Amino acid sequence: IKFIRFDIYLNYHSNFFLREIRLRTYSQFLQSYQSVKLSSMAKEFGVSIKFLDKELSSFISANKLNCKIDKVNGIVLINRIHSKNNQYQKVIQKGDLLLNRIQRLSRIITY
C-alpha cells in the first residue's frame, strides 16, 4: 500500500484506491454473515468503531453496501438482495431516465 502513496502517478488517486479496496474487503467480509457486531468487525480490520461506523455509513448512503447499522445494539445487519431483482431495478431506472430525456428532446424540437 505504501508504493501507491509514493508513486508519482498513483499518489493523486491513492485515497480513491484505498477507499475502493476497503469497500471490497467490507463487502466480502459481510457476505458471509447475516449480522455482525461493529466491535468485532472493527477488531478484525484493526480500526476504531467510530471510523468503521463513519465509513460504512458513507458506503451505505452511496448504495455501495446493502446493509443497515443498528446503532443502539452496535450491529451491522446485512440485506440480501437477489442479483436479478437488483438488475431489474437498474434497468427500470435507466429506462425512466431515457424516457425523460426523450420527452425533453421532443419538447425542444417541437418548439
Side-chain angles (χ1 to χ4, degrees), residues 2 8 11 14 26 35 37 40 47-48 53 62 79 83 106:
K2 289 183 180 180
I8 296 170
N11 184 29
S14 64
Y26 295 151
S35 65
K37 288 187 178 180
S40 66
V47 296
S48 68
D53 179 45
N79 298 332
S83 63
S106 69

Side-chain angles (χ1 to χ4, degrees), residues 12-60:
Y12 181 73
H13 304 288
S14 64
N15 289 335
F16 173 77
F17 289 141
L18 296 176
R19 183 174 164 90
E20 290 298 313
I21 289 170
R22 287 193 304 268
L23 172 63
R24 287 279 183 189
T25 56
Y26 295 151
S27 179
Q28 288 178 359
F29 181 82
L30 294 171
Q31 196 172 24
S32 304
Y33 301 100
Q34 290 182 351
S35 65
V36 180
K37 288 187 178 180
L38 272 172
S39 59
S40 66
M41 191 171 171
K43 184 179 177 183
E44 284 292 321
F45 287 108
V47 296
S48 68
I49 295 173
K50 186 177 180 180
F51 174 81
L52 184 65
D53 179 45
K54 183 179 177 184
E55 193 156 63
L56 287 177
S57 297
S58 69
F59 288 139
I60 292 168

Side-chain angles (χ1 to χ4, degrees), residues 39 64 93 104:
S39 59
K64 292 186 178 187
Q93 287 176 348
R104 281 190 224 142

